[in-house]
Amino acid sequence: DAGVIQSPRHEVTEMGQEVTLRCKPISGHNSLFWYRQTMMRGLELLIYFNNNVPIDDSGMPEDRFSAKMPNASFSTLKIQPSEPRDSAVYFCASSLEFGQGDYEQYFGPGTRLTVT
Amino acid sequence: SQQGEEDPQALSIQEGENATMNCSYKTSINNLQWYRQNSGRGLVHLILIRSNEREKHSGRLRVTLDTSKKSSSLLITASRAADTASYFCATYNTNAGKSTFGDGTTLTVKP
C-alpha cells in the first residue's frame, strides 16, 4: 500500500484565495483525521470522520474551514477565504477503526501551506 | 490546552547514550501512544500502551505508564543518529472520543 496520500505537498497562495487540500486514506481504513501543525500551537486535530461521516469538527477554527469525505477513498479540506494565519502544515491521517483509540494512526506526508 | 505535555522540550545526547522523554496528562485515559516525527515528515506510530499496562517494549524502545501519576515515559536505549526526531505522546480518552497530542520532545543524537 502506498500509505496516506496528500496533495499538493506545497501550496503557496495569496490572502483571500480558496485553498483545497486533498487526502486519500489507506484502503480499508474507516477513520480519517485532519490535523494542523504550527510552531505556536503544535499539532491540532481539526476534524475526523468515521465511515465517511464527520464525528467531531470542534477543532475547525472557524467557518472559513470546511471538510468533506464523499467516499471512503477521498477527503478534502477547504479554506475559503485563506488568511496568512492559516499558514501551517496540514496532515491527513487514517486508522483502521474508530472507537477505543486502540488503532494507530497512519499519517500522510503533509501539505505545507503558505498564505501571503 | 493539549492533554499530553512532553518533557523535556528538547534533548541533546551523544550516540550510544540512552534518551528518556516524559509525558504527563490531566484526565483519565484508555491508552497512550508514542509517535515519532522526522523533520519535514508525517508522524509515525511507535508503540501503544493501554491503561491497564505498566510497561511495554519494542526493540530499543521501552515505555512505562503510571496512571496514578498520570505520566508515561519513553526510553530509547543505545541511541543512534537516526533517532534524531521529535517524539509525541497521544492520549486517548473515551469520553472525549479522540486522541490528543502533546507538544513533543525534540531529540538530537550527535554522532
Side-chain angles (χ1 to χ4, degrees):
Chain A
D1 200 312
V4 176
I5 299 173
Q6 290 187 249
S7 65
R9 292 294 309 278
H10 301 273
E11 177 80 32
V12 180
T13 190
E14 291 184 347
M15 177 177 172
Q17 296 297 307
E18 177 179 296
V19 175
T20 299
L21 310 181
R22 297 173 176 79
C23 175
K24 177 178 168 54
I26 293 173
S27 177
H29 281 191
N30 294 325
S31 299
L32 183 140
F33 309 81
W34 281 101
Y35 291 90
R36 178 172 69 177
Q37 187 176 39
T38 61
M39 289 294 291
M40 289 295 292
R41 291 190 296 268
L43 192 66
E44 303 172 278
L45 176 63
L46 301 177
I47 185 172
Y48 67 94
F49 296 82
N50 188 54
N51 291 326
N52 313 338
V53 176
I55 302 299
D56 185 343
D57 65 355
S58 60
M60 297 286 260
E62 43 197 281
D63 292 345
R64 298 185 297 107
F65 286 69
S66 63
K68 294 181 180 179
M69 192 164 186
N71 57 61
S73 59
F74 184 66
S75 177
T76 59
L77 178 67
K78 185 176 294 186
I79 309 172
Q80 166 63 16
S82 58
E83 296 182 4
R85 60 195 168 117
D86 301 331
S87 298
V89 181
Y90 290 81
F91 288 102
C92 176
S94 68
S95 70
L96 199 58
E97 286 289 345
F98 164 80
Q100 294 304 308
D102 277 5
Y103 295 92
E104 63 184 275
Q105 295 182 36
Y106 292 79
F107 281 75
T111 295
R112 182 173 294 277
L113 173 65
T114 303
V115 183
T116 60
Chain B
S1 63
Q2 297 286 355
Q3 161 77 313
E5 294 184 5
E6 286 88 344
D7 168 57
Q9 288 188 327
L11 180 62
S12 182
I13 60 174
Q14 292 294 137
E15 204 165 29
E17 294 180 340
N18 295 342
T20 299
M21 289 158 272
N22 303 297
C23 170
S24 60
Y25 55 92
K26 297 174 183 174
T27 64
S28 62
I29 61 171
N30 297 85
N31 65 57
L32 184 146
Q33 302 184 40
W34 284 92
Y35 286 78
R36 182 184 76 198
Q37 183 180 32
N38 290 85
S39 180
R41 309 287 288 272
L43 280 71
V44 175
H45 182 264
L46 295 176
I47 197 165
L48 178 152
I49 186 165
R50 293 187 171 81
S51 58
N52 61 353
E53 298 176 312
R54 292 295 168 260
E55 189 171 309
K56 209 161 182 180
H57 297 255
S58 176
R60 293 184 296 113
L61 306 181
R62 182 171 77 97
V63 169
T64 61
L65 179 63
D66 187 333
T67 53
S68 66
K69 295 181 179 178
K70 291 186 169 58
S71 68
S72 172
S73 67
L74 170 66
L75 168 67
I76 304 174
T77 60
S79 64
R80 305 167 181 168
D83 294 328
T84 294
S86 292
Y87 292 82
F88 295 85
C89 68
T91 52
Y92 183 84
N93 175 275
T94 300
N95 292 336
K98 58 188 177 184
S99 292
T100 306
F101 285 81
D103 292 331
T105 291
T106 300
L107 172 66
T108 302
V109 181
K110 302 174 186 176

